[in-house]
Amino acid sequence: MVFKMIGIVKRFGGLTALDHVDFEVGSGEVMALVGDNGAGKSTLIKTMSGAHAPDEGTIEMEGKLVRFRSPQDAWESGIATIFQELALAGKMTVVDNIFLGREIRKPVLGIPFLDRQAMRKRTGELLQQLDVHVPSIDSWVESMSGGQRQGVAIARALNMDARLIIMDEPTAALAVAEVRKVLEFIKTLRTQGKSVVLISHNIQDVFEVSDRISVMRHGRCIAVRETAKTTPQEIIGLITGAHEVRAAAS
Amino acid sequence: MASVADTRPALRFVSPTASRELALIAAIILVCTVFTVASPYFLSVNNLVQTMRAGLELSIVSAGMTLVIIMGGIDVSVGGIVAVSAIVIGKAYQAGLPVYVVTPLGLMAGTALGAFNGFVTTKLKVPPIIATLGSMYIFSAIMFLVIGGAWISGLPGTLSPLVNGWLGFLPASALVIAVVYAIAWVLLRKLPYGNHLYAIGCSEPSARLVGINVDRTKILTYAFLGLLAGLAALLYVARMRNVEINIGTTIALEAIAATILGGTSIRGGVGSLLGTLLGVVFIRIMQNGLVLMGISSLWETVIIGSLLICVLTADALRNRNNPRAQ
Amino acid sequence: MMSRLAGLRAGDPLRARLFMLLALWLVAIVVMSLLSPYFLRASTVPYLLQYVPILGLLGLGQTLVILGGGPGIDLSVGSIVSLVGVAVGGLFVLGVDIWLASALGLMLGALLGFVNGVLVNVLRIPSLMATLATMFAFGGLALATTLGSPIGGLPAEFGWLGQGRTLGLPNAFLFVLLPVAVILHVMITRTTIGRHIVACGNDDRAAHLSGLPVVRIRVGLYVLSGVLAALGSIIAMSWFLAARPDAGKGMELLAVTIAVLGGTHIFGGTGGVPGTIIAILIVTTLQIGLQLANISAAWQLGLIGVLLIVSVSRLSLWRRVKGARA
């Protein structure tokens, strides 16, 4: 197991957002995380990515206990997160955004100057790898389409050479062709031996790319299924709690 | 769409604030023309150099203010920082301390006060406008308590060559301004720190999510503004040879005005040091020209205010069509 | 009783804040009476209440503007006070009856407020910048047109408002501030328009989608702020029987301080009249108390600064305390 969360509890005031959640991702595996709105998916990945600190429970990365006190810690442990809101700085260029927080430096007399040349070159490589087309790598991110901005966010995650990549609703706002690109990219990541956690509402996408599916409901992880051995109906039933209704009715 | 492999800097890429900088240059030329026609004294070397010296403190402080505003913050207490730093400097001189002790003392005083502002706005989570409003009161109170209505006078002008001197045919104050702006420019454009400033100004939550240490960056920036305020205090004392209570009353607002006139957006995320410098030049030339023309300098505030309104309106109208996320 | 306490803990923040403010006022009174034997006398009350109306009106106006969200702030109120004063004084000098001139002054206040409202809400210029610019423009206009000298010679009977007393209490307090405060409080808490204002401050997107005319409401708040400032200006003129072109200098900061101290959240949606009133009483008590004890006004300034910072930072500490208990 590359990544393991055991007994995670997270409370906000009187609300228990995560109630003793166990979650794990294997090496080179695509794990889908599904659940209805308010089930706790976003909170779980924010905890995974270091934006929240859990109130209880442990996190292990490649067998070692880790504690993330900030998103920076998570990045440094090899977890790259692509948030639903993308977390891009609109009035900054593609290059600047991809390297935000991990700029390539060229120290002169101990002062860490920006190495713009190296960053531009790497940006070109990344965009080519992802087959993302932008008007210019110097254009502002806010002037680009949803798919291009998604591409920039993915490029940023790719740039980090991470072990685990978390993607929160990556295809939600994209056109059909762009969705295809994202799904192909996820498969590519798997062939490279990286692990992916994918949150998605789109059961079709989930069944196309994932190896296993974790279902969350009311702050708990109620089921983990192997994608090949389950059906969309079963997953949807778990998400909506149909089985609970059935159990109560019988 | 250009090919993805095109990594040469796009030739068409022009700085977003370029149009404002050009407009300011045009405005300065226009205003200079008017003043040259109206008064024979305007276009003399002596007058121009004097004007620049009068703008020394304002330009230094405005550089720091630009960084703060780009980051999405603001600091209305700068006048207070200048005042308290000046008092520290004055008292130190009075105690007989030599200039090479007083100078770092003054700079440290300014930096500490600036860091205080940064601390209040990050760790105590007070919005910058409230935080610096409060600290302005506190700094003013300190100033009144220490000096009362009296002046500290008869101070040594050891540093005055930096203000009044010449290096060849270049006035020393111009060099001081150039050095300060060069340093600010390097901070803003050549270091990761600068990118972080822009990112925080664009969207603070996003900056946090990508792992930028927002709190530390903010404190550093406010502290830097404080440092520059301390420098301004040093030069002021060198020039005036005294410390009195009216020091720094309007410098914060003028610095903000210069920064906004120069193309920096009050929302943060966009800014220009060159624009700020041009804004300072414009403000000081206006002041100078009005005095030479015999028009009461009281009209200057009206003019700056109206200009700001025009500039802000123009910006707002231009951005009408962009759906701007708050 | 227990349920009331439970209600406090369950977080009616405004209620809790009112209790805290009242406690603070009590502390202030106790401290002030310890500092000076003159404080705890019957004659102090009307003396204190003399100072309250002008700042009170400005504070109430600011409360409304901030309450409506945006975030809204009006830094130009001090300048509106000055400019309206100058205009009324000028009209009087031209022969217009002083009371008629005052009525026209109120309309001018509304107009200036309208300008602010349009700049902030129609052109969507950030309120901080827009009202900073109008502060420059209006204030500068007041100073420039009078060349800095006050307009005196207002008729003695005009002093009824600012100087006169009825039943031992100042007229301005009884007949202006009290009714205005009551009307505004009723408006905010009991009328639909009040609910709408709070809704705009809480979430303007939601308010807009619910069909509320957010822009119109906010512009109205700025107009109201302008009118209240004009009212304050008239009281000030009535008190001094002169129109000073810098009458409002520094008042905007005090107004914001009072509104924020009184519990109005800087981003809107929370706040109200009672908190503001108690905040004014606290500030005025400190002012008068320190004056009577012959303590330098600087302490008062510093104290207000500290109060401002503490009162706003308290919010986040308070929340953290509540969260730990839950």
Side-chain angles (χ1 to χ4, degrees):
Chain A
M1 284 298 126
V2 151
F3 184 79
K4 224 174 173 173
M5 296 174 102
I6 306 170
I8 298 291
V9 177
K10 181 67 187 170
R11 299 189 196 92
F12 294 108
L15 171 71
T16 305
L18 298 176
D19 187 4
H20 298 90
V21 172
D22 296 330
F23 182 78
E24 60 178 25
V25 190
S27 171
E29 171 183 46
V30 178
M31 169 68 92
L33 183 59
V34 300
D36 221 344
N37 291 330
K41 314 189 294 288
S42 278
T43 314
L44 189 64
I45 47 171
K46 286 218 165 111
T47 311
M48 269 189 248
S49 66
H52 289 323
D55 297 321
E56 284 172 42
T58 58
I59 304 180
E60 281 175 25
M61 186 84 190
E62 299 192 289
K64 282 186 305 199
L65 218 59
V66 286
R67 259 184 44 140
F68 301 139
R69 267 155 312 181
S70 73
Q72 190 78 19
D73 287 347
W75 293 116
E76 276 159 23
S77 293
I79 300 180
T81 311
I82 304 171
F83 298 95
Q84 195 171 6
E85 35 322 338
L86 294 188
L88 292 175
K91 294 198 193 332
M92 294 176 74
T93 65
V94 174
V95 185
D96 287 334
N97 265 292
I98 289 181
F99 284 93
L100 204 52
R102 50 198 54 76
E103 295 86 1
I104 303 182
R105 297 139 198 253
K106 191 165 51 176
V108 172
L109 299 171
I111 306 177
F113 282 93
L114 290 170
D115 190 346
R116 287 203 196 270
Q117 216 178 355
M119 291 196 284
R120 298 173 64 85
K121 183 154 168 280
R122 180 83 182 119
T123 301
E125 290 167 9
L126 288 166
L127 293 180
Q128 189 154 43
Q129 224 177 332
L130 291 168
D131 193 27
V132 172
H133 296 269
V134 292
S136 156
I137 59 173
D138 291 312
S139 31
W140 277 0
V141 153
E142 73 180 7
S143 65
M144 298 199 257
S145 77
Q148 290 169 322
R149 294 170 61 212
Q150 182 74 246
V152 172
I154 294 179
R156 180 169 65 195
L158 198 58
N159 181 41
M160 287 176 20
D161 210 24
R163 286 289 283 117
L164 173 65
I165 301 181
I166 305 173
M167 306 177 77
D168 187 355
E169 301 282 1
T171 59
L174 297 186
V176 174
E178 294 164 334
V179 169
R180 194 102 305 277
K181 277 195 200 167
V182 172
L183 295 177
E184 290 308 316
F185 166 66
I186 295 178
K187 294 183 195 165
T188 314
L189 284 176
R190 180 171 46 204
T191 59
Q192 291 178 352
K194 302 199 197 282
S195 311
V196 176
V197 173
L198 171 70
I199 296 188
S200 182
H201 269 117
N202 189 318
I203 302 295
Q204 223 180 332
D205 291 347
V206 164
F207 269 81
E208 182 175 335
V209 292
S210 66
D211 299 310
R212 288 197 293 162
I213 306 173
S214 296
V215 183
M216 283 195 73
R217 190 169 153 72
H218 294 326
R220 329 200 77 218
C221 182
I222 59 170
V224 182
R225 296 275 186 274
E226 279 181 48
T227 314
K229 294 190 184 153
T230 181
T231 66
Q233 285 76 16
E234 184 186 1
I235 296 296
I236 293 177
L238 287 167
I239 293 176
T240 57
H243 65 287
E244 290 168 19
V245 174
R246 250 178 273 122
S250 61
Chain B
M1 279 193 288
S3 149
V4 106
D6 184 358
T7 54
R8 288 173 295 118
L11 293 169
R12 287 168 289 121
F13 181 69
V14 173
S15 146
T17 49
S19 56
R20 177 64 59 78
E21 291 152 7
L22 287 172
L24 267 177
I25 294 178
I28 292 174
I29 295 178
L30 175 67
V31 153
C32 283
T33 320
V34 168
F35 289 145
T36 312
V37 164
S39 162
Y41 300 110
F42 182 74
L43 215 47
S44 66
V45 172
N46 193 35
N47 184 48
L48 292 177
V49 171
Q50 283 295 80
T51 309
M52 179 180 55
R53 287 189 187 141
L56 186 56
E57 291 93 26
L58 181 59
S59 39
I60 293 174
V61 166
S62 299
M65 184 71 81
T66 307
L67 293 186
V68 167
I69 295 184
I70 288 179
M71 194 179 65
I74 195 159
D75 187 343
V76 295
S77 73
V78 200
I81 300 182
V82 172
V84 175
S85 306
I87 291 175
V88 168
I89 294 167
K91 291 285 182 194
Y93 274 135
Q94 273 188 332
L97 294 175
V99 71
Y100 53 83
V101 173
V102 178
T103 303
L105 219 56
L107 292 177
M108 284 197 305
T111 312
L113 294 174
F116 173 74
N117 279 336
F119 170 78
V120 171
T121 197
T122 53
K123 300 302 179 191
L124 296 183
K125 303 205 196 301
V126 180
I129 177 69
I130 304 287
T132 56
L133 227 145
S135 59
M136 186 184 79
Y137 285 145
I138 296 175
F139 300 156
S140 303
I142 295 177
M143 179 179 74
F144 277 118
L145 285 173
V146 175
I147 311 193
W151 292 20
I152 309 178
S153 40
L155 296 173
T158 329
L159 288 176
S160 59
L162 280 179
V163 183
N164 297 322
W166 294 81
L167 203 62
F169 56 85
L170 281 174
S173 21
L175 287 174
V176 172
I177 297 177
V179 167
V180 168
Y181 273 80
I183 294 176
W185 182 77
V186 164
L187 283 173
L188 194 59
R189 293 237 149 250
K190 291 289 178 196
L191 295 178
Y193 164 79
N195 273 357
H196 296 176
L197 278 189
Y198 280 110
I200 298 174
C202 257
S203 161
E204 192 175 318
S206 297
R208 268 187 223 273
L209 283 175
V210 289
I212 293 177
N213 191 335
V214 171
D215 284 356
R216 188 173 55 165
T217 311
K218 281 189 174 181
I219 295 179
L220 280 176
T221 313
Y222 281 100
F224 181 64
L225 176 56
L227 174 71
L228 291 179
L231 178 61
L234 276 168
L235 295 171
Y236 179 88
V237 167
R239 182 153 63 102
M240 298 297 188
R241 318 285 287 271
N242 62 39
V243 178
E244 39 94 12
I245 52 167
N246 281 324
I247 187 176
T249 34
T250 53
I251 199 168
L253 296 177
E254 286 185 325
I256 296 173
T259 307
I260 303 296
L261 278 176
T264 303
S265 168
I266 192 67
R267 293 184 214 265
V270 185
S272 159
L273 282 169
L274 174 60
T276 301
L277 191 53
L278 290 172
V280 173
V281 167
F282 183 82
I283 290 177
R284 281 294 180 255
I285 288 188
M286 285 296 304
Q287 206 174 26
N288 176 255
L290 288 177
V291 166
L292 285 179
M293 278 172 64
I295 299 181
S296 162
S297 59
L298 295 169
W299 282 102
E300 185 205 334
T301 338
V302 185
I303 296 179
I304 295 183
S306 318
L307 256 176
L308 266 177
I309 295 178
C310 292
V311 156
L312 292 167
T313 311
D315 269 348
L317 290 174
R318 205 191 326 168
N319 291 320
R320 215 66 136 92
N321 301 318
N322 288 357
R324 312 183 85 227
Q326 242 304 340
Chain C
M1 172 69 170
M2 283 314 289
S3 60
R4 183 94 61 84
L5 278 181
L8 254 185
R9 210 181 311 140
D12 184 356
L14 210 51
R15 246 250 173 97
R17 193 170 190 93
L18 282 180
F19 278 117
M20 180 200 89
L21 286 171
L22 277 171
L24 200 57
W25 190 32
L26 247 78
V27 168
I29 292 178
V30 167
V31 172
M32 291 304 128
S33 42
L34 286 176
L35 282 176
S36 160
Y38 300 113
F39 186 76
L40 224 42
R41 283 191 187 168
S43 56
T44 315
V45 172
Y47 185 49
L48 192 144
L49 292 178
Q50 179 81 8
Y51 282 80
V52 167
I54 301 175
L55 220 42
L57 288 170
L58 262 60
L60 286 171
Q62 198 70 233
T63 305
L64 287 172
V65 165
I66 299 180
L67 194 58
I73 201 173
D74 189 351
L75 291 180
S76 68
V77 284
S79 299
I80 295 183
V81 167
S82 306
L83 190 54
V84 166
V86 163
V88 170
L91 283 174
F92 173 71
V93 164
L94 289 175
V96 178
D97 165 59
I98 189 69
W99 295 106
L100 178 59
S102 298
L104 291 173
L106 286 178
M107 295 203 316
L108 176 60
L111 179 63
L112 295 175
F114 183 70
V115 169
N116 279 331
V118 166
L119 286 174
V120 174
N121 296 300
V122 177
L123 293 178
R124 307 198 50 81
I125 301 173
S127 56
L128 187 64
M129 263 334 293
T131 56
L132 195 69
T134 51
M135 177 178 106
F136 270 135
F138 298 161
L141 211 52
L143 279 172
T145 45
T146 57
L147 292 176
S149 34
I151 303 172
L154 300 180
E157 72 261 13
F158 185 55
W160 174 84
L161 196 56
Q163 297 168 4
R165 293 203 183 162
T166 306
L167 302 172
L169 294 173
N171 286 340
F173 176 78
L174 268 182
F175 299 118
V176 179
L177 182 63
L178 228 41
V180 167
V182 168
I183 294 175
L184 287 178
H185 181 59
V186 167
M187 178 183 89
I188 292 177
T189 51
R190 292 198 198 284
T191 65
T192 347
I193 190 77
R195 293 285 101 207
H196 289 177
I197 294 173
V198 173
C200 290
N202 261 314
D203 185 344
D204 50 13
R205 250 189 72 80
H208 177 68
L209 291 172
S210 309
L212 297 182
V214 177
V215 170
R216 230 174 292 169
I217 291 177
R218 285 183 176 160
V219 171
L221 292 174
Y222 277 95
V223 169
L224 206 47
S225 172
V227 170
L228 289 173
L231 204 46
S233 175
I234 292 169
I235 295 179
M237 274 192 290
S238 164
W239 190 2
F240 299 116
L241 285 185
R244 285 174 20 240
D246 62 350
K249 194 167 138 114
M251 284 195 177
E252 59 279 326
L253 303 174
L254 266 175
V256 172
T257 306
I258 289 169
V260 172
L261 183 58
T264 308
H265 193 254
I266 196 70
F267 287 111
T270 310
V273 171
T276 307
I277 296 290
I278 305 179
I280 303 168
L281 290 172
I282 294 176
V283 170
T284 325
T285 306
L286 288 174
Q287 270 178 325
I288 303 293
L290 289 173
Q291 218 173 53
L292 286 175
N294 236 337
I295 293 182
S296 158
W299 281 106
Q300 169 204 127
L301 211 56
L303 214 57
I304 294 181
V306 172
L307 259 176
L308 185 58
I309 291 179
V310 167
S311 70
V312 177
S313 59
R314 241 169 175 279
L315 241 44
S316 41
L317 286 172
W318 180 255
R319 230 177 276 137
R320 216 175 293 164
V321 168
K322 281 198 322 182
R325 230 185 272 154

